[in-house]
Amino acid sequence: MSSKGSAPARAGLRVGVIGAGVMGSNHARVLSGLPGVSLVGVVDPSPAHRTRATELANCESFETLDQLFSAGVDAVTIAAPTHLHHEVALACIANNIHVLVEKPIASTVAEGREIVAAAHKAGVTLMIGHVERFNPAVAAVKQAIAGEDILSIAITRVGPFPPRMSNVGVVIDLAVHDIDLIRWFTESDIVEVQPQLSSAVAEREDIALLQFRTESGVLAHINTNWLTPFKARSVTVATRGKYVMGDLLTRQVTECFGFKPDGSYSMRHLPVGHDEPLRAELIAFLKAVRNGETPAVTGDEGVASLEIATQCLETPSRPAAASPARKGPRRVAG
């Protein structure tokens, strides 16, 4: 970009998409319809993936990263498989290209930190694609609990076994979304993890019950699995003054409040927007690039959520101490 007339040049950002699987194709579709954006093309080694993405977004496709770089891009979104995030992100950053990396930021915390350090040193924008933050139902829950004394959070994210199976289990694939939401809702770090994991039908864990305590004292739990025949996504937050329930699929958010000593309370449905979360996320990324602002989800936040998810996979569950009293029949109180 020349310094002369830089404002009009920056208005038409040249953006590329790396990875043309389901997620990458959606990135391309959304970017192709955004004002002030020129979708340069999509990179993927698979001809079938390239064809799908170009048909969906009506853009060019490239087999290699170097071909995309030669075409000239200001920013990219990386929706390649997680194990490639580190290598691809570092190559883009080395070319002074702004980067949105799909969650999780990388395969390991060390790789994630390297990406963050490289972006910081190069002075490029790095945002992590924790798209659930841009779900209008999540935004409504966040608004409802603003300024409240949060006591507990429960999140359910379950569904059938995904056909696009990668080399990760439910903790990295699904629960990392909710670890990010817990940190965002409470604006506090997670300081204690108590995971229960099981591999019922998959090679990696396909059931996870995760309990957390945040630095601010909030108790939170996540129930996630690949064994439920239908998708369910829900969030409940209990505060001293409210109980907020959000269905992230139907986007209905309900608030219970005004608790009385006789057990009665009031209830209301909260207004929820209609934005497509991915569109809202990409607009936020491009705004951060244009204005040099701190992005909505920073690299450090992406690393923190991955670190907690990794801890869940590494923390051994302790067997309950066998007490002699447990061996006989239980006495019924009362």
Side-chain angles (χ1 to χ4, degrees):
M1 274 182 218
S2 67
S3 55
K4 256 186 176 173
S6 60
R10 278 162 70 194
L13 277 177
R14 292 177 62 78
V15 184
V17 176
I18 299 163
V22 174
M23 202 67 207
S25 298
N26 277 323
H27 278 242
R29 169 184 60 79
V30 172
L31 287 165
S32 68
L34 290 183
V37 171
S38 167
L39 178 58
V40 176
V42 176
V43 181
D44 198 292
S46 154
H49 281 188
R50 290 201 300 275
T51 302
R52 176 176 61 191
T54 51
E55 283 174 359
L56 199 62
N58 192 23
C59 65
E60 271 196 71
S61 69
F62 307 99
E63 197 175 340
T64 68
L65 265 184
D66 285 341
Q67 288 170 344
L68 177 69
F69 295 159
S70 298
V73 282
D74 303 312
V76 295
T77 68
I78 299 175
T82 303
H83 68 276
L84 298 174
H85 285 187
H86 177 251
E87 176 193 336
V88 171
L90 291 184
C92 295
I93 291 164
N95 281 272
N96 282 309
I97 296 165
H98 304 284
V99 174
L100 169 84
V101 185
E102 263 301 334
K103 67 85 205 162
I105 182 172
S107 293
T108 67
V109 171
E111 284 186 353
R113 286 192 180 130
E114 273 185 49
I115 294 170
V116 172
H120 183 70
K121 191 175 172 191
V124 301
T125 301
L126 169 66
M127 180 163 147
I128 312 307
H130 281 283
V131 73
E132 203 66 283
R133 283 207 204 177
F134 296 89
N135 183 322
V138 168
V141 171
K142 170 81 167 166
Q143 201 175 346
I145 61 175
E148 291 282 318
D149 184 4
I150 301 171
L151 303 174
S152 71
I153 299 173
I155 304 181
T156 298
R157 185 180 296 270
V158 296
F161 195 77
R164 49 158 195 89
M165 216 17 256
S166 58
N167 56 348
V168 296
V170 287
V171 171
I172 298 293
D173 190 53
L174 298 182
V176 79
H177 278 296
D178 303 313
I179 289 166
D180 178 67
L181 291 186
I182 289 164
R183 297 182 71 258
W184 191 52
F185 285 153
T186 60
E187 293 174 8
S188 177
D189 285 326
I190 291 168
V191 291
E192 204 178 311
V193 307
Q194 294 177 350
Q196 294 290 344
L197 310 174
S198 175
S199 305
V201 294
E203 200 180 318
R204 303 255 176 164
E205 84 288 346
D206 51 18
I207 308 173
L209 298 173
L210 312 173
Q211 293 195 109
F212 307 98
R213 184 189 293 274
T214 70
E215 204 164 15
S216 55
V218 175
L219 296 184
H221 81 251
I222 296 171
N223 167 25
T224 188
N225 70 51
W226 279 329
L227 304 176
T228 310
F230 53 86
K231 265 189 180 184
R233 309 271 186 270
S234 66
V235 175
T236 59
V237 183
T239 77
R240 288 214 185 272
K242 294 178 179 179
Y243 187 73
V244 181
M245 300 171 282
D247 184 317
L248 307 189
L249 295 179
T250 63
R251 299 193 183 170
Q252 278 190 309
V253 179
T254 309
E255 179 180 83
C256 304
F257 61 99
F259 306 113
K260 302 278 192 329
D262 65 359
S264 66
Y265 59 89
S266 302
M267 193 181 228
R268 66 178 166 219
H269 291 300
L270 299 179
V272 177
H274 297 288
D275 295 355
E276 180 187 357
L278 181 60
R279 188 172 189 274
E281 175 183 77
L282 292 172
I283 288 170
F285 168 58
L286 298 171
K287 181 172 176 278
V289 168
R290 284 193 180 103
N291 302 338
E293 299 167 351
T294 301
V297 188
T298 65
D300 285 328
E301 289 177 293
V303 168
S305 293
L306 177 61
E307 193 161 18
I308 296 300
T310 305
Q311 248 178 286
C312 289
L313 294 174
E314 291 173 352
T315 306
S317 54
R318 293 187 296 262
S323 137
R326 287 200 183 139
K327 288 181 180 168
R330 293 183 180 229
R331 287 189 18 212
V332 180

